[in-house]
Amino acid sequence: MGGLNVLRRNSVELLSGAQREVYILGVRVDNVTYEEMLACLDDFVVSGKPHQVATINPEFVMAARHDPEFRAILNTAALCLPDGVGLLWAGCILGCPLRQRVTGSDGIWRIAELAARRGYRLFLLGAAPGVAEEAARRLCDRYPKLIIAGTYAGSPAVEEEDAIVERVRAARADILLVAYGHPRQEKWLARNLARSGAAVGMGVGGALDFVAGVAVRAPRWMRRLGLEWLYRLWREPWRWRRMLALPQFAGLVLWARLTSKRTNMER
Ligand code: UDP
């Protein structure tokens, strides 16, 4: 897997001019749009080789600061999507603006559309029992040609890995979406994607919950104002402790700006 491969480089050439990747507090974020993400995923599947995709938000960045294994996985992933609005803010503050927010929750619909159009087989792994099945049903309702290779809740426990990998392999999945929350889903993919036979392995966090309707996304106006995190905190107040990472992230970005620690941004 590791780093940018030739295919990805070709896909991301679409970027023309804009900085292709930025480092925010030491974590790589690729400056791609939805269209470019889809072009990359298409290339990845055609290559047949394993490519890990991550949906980065400020919580990821803060977790990666204290978890070198997680940081290494993100920084060597084939594609790191700018999922959180906080990253766009940080990019502006640090003088490296990202062009678009590319989320797992919206991206999953577009990936389903790509898979349906190109005949790629999609496997949905993770979330609570029944959620992946319901998500698959809704995706197929919208894209009737979509091939669902399989769905399975499973668990990120190491003891279950071999059986889950066998399931994904037997299903001949091209694209494997994993919803075990970060950093577990990224670590699970780093250990298992290559042997699963899937060409794309992407951590999607709560996206299956949203697609299945067991979690509700913020209204459009809140999303437009970059307040999705606030809505999520209101709906799922148990997240408050995790979300303490957000003001810490903001403080570190401002500090980096003040002290002009641009080494974090570019290599
Ligand atoms: N999850 C799971 N097994 C676990 C832990 C989490 O299936 O052992 C699922 C959970 O049901 C949810 C998703 O992983 O669907 C985590 O969503 P969250 O939005 O918390 O993801 P994060 O923001 O951590 O990436």
Side-chain angles (χ1 to χ4, degrees):
M1 217 160 357
L4 305 182
N5 61 22
V6 173
L7 273 174
R8 176 171 172 266
R9 228 174 254 132
N10 287 343
S11 304
V12 180
E13 290 307 336
L14 297 168
L15 272 171
S16 73
Q19 194 168 327
R20 206 161 51 193
E21 61 185 27
V22 301
Y23 278 80
I24 293 183
L25 303 178
V27 173
R28 195 187 95 229
V29 181
D30 292 313
N31 191 5
V32 291
T33 63
Y34 279 108
E35 294 311 316
E36 288 160 354
M37 169 193 73
L38 293 172
C40 286
L41 298 189
D42 205 355
D43 281 352
F44 295 163
V45 177
V46 169
S47 84
K49 299 202 177 77
H51 294 79
Q52 184 161 349
V53 181
T55 52
I56 314 290
N57 65 32
E59 281 186 54
F60 279 54
V61 173
M62 294 306 289
R65 287 174 66 78
H66 306 291
D67 184 341
E69 182 196 351
F70 186 41
R71 187 169 63 237
I73 290 170
L74 298 180
N75 286 347
T76 57
L79 195 58
C80 287
L81 302 172
D83 184 302
V85 69
L87 298 182
L88 272 75
W89 170 81
C92 286
I93 296 290
L94 294 168
C96 259
L98 292 158
R99 291 174 304 158
Q100 195 179 75
R101 193 175 166 210
V102 180
T103 69
S105 306
D106 288 324
I108 188 170
W109 294 98
R110 296 188 181 224
I111 293 167
E113 191 277 329
L114 169 76
R117 181 160 39 85
R118 302 277 283 150
Y120 299 153
R121 300 166 64 82
L122 201 61
F123 197 110
L124 308 182
L125 176 65
V131 171
E133 289 75 9
E134 178 59 18
R137 204 183 56 71
R138 293 187 180 203
L139 291 171
C140 288
D141 277 352
R142 189 172 307 178
Y143 304 110
K145 290 199 174 137
L146 178 64
I147 304 166
I148 297 292
T151 57
Y152 188 54
S155 104
V158 174
E159 313 80 74
E160 278 202 42
E161 273 176 23
D162 288 351
I164 294 177
V165 166
E166 192 39 50
R167 210 179 253 266
V168 177
R169 176 168 276 286
R172 293 181 296 112
D174 296 306
I175 300 175
L176 171 62
L177 304 183
V178 183
Y180 284 147
H182 78 284
R184 272 174 296 199
Q185 61 199 12
E186 284 73 28
K187 292 183 179 180
W188 193 97
L189 281 166
R191 288 193 303 271
N192 298 303
L193 177 62
R195 59 193 191 118
S196 77
V200 172
M202 176 167 164
V204 293
L208 299 187
D209 294 339
F210 290 125
V211 174
V214 298
V216 182
R217 286 199 74 188
R220 202 174 289 271
W221 67 268
M222 282 189 98
R223 276 186 266 161
R224 231 181 279 132
L225 289 177
L227 294 174
E228 192 158 19
W229 60 273
L230 185 61
Y231 184 81
R232 213 150 182 213
L233 185 59
W234 174 58
R235 298 287 301 214
E236 301 167 46
W238 53 266
R239 282 183 183 270
W240 73 270
R241 198 182 287 274
R242 276 177 52 171
M243 285 194 169
L244 288 180
L246 302 182
Q248 287 169 10
F249 172 81
L252 285 171
V253 169
L254 290 172
W255 181 252
R257 174 78 179 94
L258 279 173
T259 54
S260 296
K261 282 187 182 162
R262 296 186 63 101
T263 44
N264 279 333
M265 294 284 296
E266 294 170 52
R267 281 193 196 159

